[in-house]
Amino acid sequence: MKAVVISEFGAPSVLKIEERAIPNIDDNEVLIKVKAAGINRLDVAQRKGNYPVPDGVVADILGLEVAGTIEKIGTNVTEWKVGDDVFALISGGGYAEYVNAPASICIRKPENLSYVEAASLPETVYTVWSNVFDRCRFQSGETFMVHGGTSGIGITAIQLAKLFGAQKIYTTVGSDDKKAFCESLGATAINYETDDFADHVKDVDVILDIIGGEYFGKNINALNTDGRLVYINAAKGFKVECNLLKIMTKRLTLTGSTLRSRELPFKEALTRALKEKFLPLVENGSFKPVIHATFPLYEADQAHELMESSTHIGKIMLKLD
């Protein structure tokens, strides 16, 4: 099979097409013929050598989310058959013509979605659901904030918060075009290039942050009593100063998580929850994937360049013939 391989750590140009063996599958896995794969910030960090892969995961082929057709099933697999169309969150290896995945975390592709749209879902939806709805227990009627509103995470979080009854939604963005887009989704957006969200945001119940750094103290100030703050990245720095008195007096919950290295039973439980509570929203058109650009597999380097430019609104995808 053809795969996009990290030839060495560095710039997008280190991504090269190579021939690799089609992965073997174990008794509880399926082999997916990949039709589309998503690009994520974690892929960029891994390409640069800043994100070691979990044990047992292919180290030089990127890709955490795919959609495609099941080509082969393991001997213990009963819920799928060859020819089924699925999408899946995987631990690596998605920038390739074939990838193996546990059968238990595959989700049937809705008929109303293309392969590209389906492949854009897993990383963002699993992350948002796990952190906003499970860890932070977001409830209808609460106020929600997510930083980076036009990222895949941001767009997913805004849509889901609205669909599940947010009273008000805030987000931060880096341009007026991005502000207008987020407002079209129902969020109040603050352009951080011209404004400070700390001057406009207060009484938030749940904040999902990917920025860290100086945003930490501002998040604490913006939170309501009994508010929850969850970190899934810290692009502006992992080390912050913390005013414990504010956390104590406001009874705040501060948490965070990573998803890629979590154990399979955790991902299986998330998959079951998403099949029950998220998939119907996709099938009835309430939740809509937002795709900024699609590249062929051999232009993965250009897809990474676009990702690093931060000019995109929505997901950047690879499409395989």
Side-chain angles (χ1 to χ4, degrees), residues 24 39 84 120 146 172 209 303:
N24 294 317
I39 307 287
D84 285 342
S120 77
V146 58
T172 52
D209 192 15

Side-chain angles (χ1 to χ4, degrees), residues 27 56 65 72 149 177 185 284 314 316:
D27 292 344
E65 52 187 354
K72 185 178 180 181
D177 286 347
L185 295 179
N284 68 23
I316 300 169

Side-chain angles (χ1 to χ4, degrees), residues 85-264:
D85 288 331
V86 297
F87 63 98
L89 178 70
I90 55 178
S91 297
Y95 293 13
E97 292 181 312
Y98 294 90
V99 71
N100 57 317
S104 56
I105 59 170
C106 292
I107 300 176
R108 191 173 303 278
K109 183 183 80 67
E111 292 184 0
N112 61 327
L113 292 190
S114 67
Y115 290 108
V116 167
E117 289 171 325
S120 77
L121 297 176
E123 177 67 15
T124 59
V125 173
Y126 276 74
T127 299
V128 171
W129 192 269
S130 173
N131 287 283
V132 175
F133 294 91
D134 287 347
R135 298 189 70 79
C136 287
R137 308 174 308 283
F138 175 81
Q139 301 293 319
S140 177
E142 292 190 316
T143 296
F144 174 70
M145 182 171 196
V146 58
H147 292 291
T150 56
S151 66
I153 292 290
I155 291 171
T156 298
I158 291 169
Q159 288 196 72
L160 287 181
K162 183 178 180 181
L163 287 168
F164 284 89
Q167 181 182 54
K168 192 172 184 64
I169 302 168
Y170 292 104
T171 191
T172 52
V173 295
S175 72
D176 287 340
D177 286 347
K178 292 182 176 182
K179 177 177 179 178
F181 178 82
C182 288
E183 289 177 345
S184 75
L185 295 179
T188 297
I190 297 99
N191 182 350
Y192 59 74
E193 295 290 352
T194 58
D195 251 329
D196 188 340
F197 80 89
D199 297 330
H200 302 276
V201 179
K202 62 179 181 179
D203 298 330
V204 181
D205 297 295
V206 174
I207 298 177
L208 176 62
D209 192 15
I210 60 174
I211 305 299
E214 65 177 11
Y215 276 29
F216 176 79
K218 296 176 182 180
N219 288 334
I220 295 295
N221 290 337
L223 281 169
N224 205 352
T225 302
D226 292 315
R228 290 87 78 196
L229 170 60
V230 58
Y231 279 93
I232 56 172
N233 197 3
K236 297 296 185 181
F238 289 91
K239 294 184 178 180
V240 298
E241 290 189 5
C242 178
N243 186 332
L244 293 175
L245 184 60
K246 288 185 179 180
I247 293 176
M248 294 160 58
T249 56
K250 296 171 80 171
R251 302 190 300 275
L252 303 181
T253 298
L254 173 61
T255 186
S257 74
T258 59
L259 180 59
R260 187 179 190 182
S261 60
R262 292 299 297 266
E263 63 281 1
L264 182 59

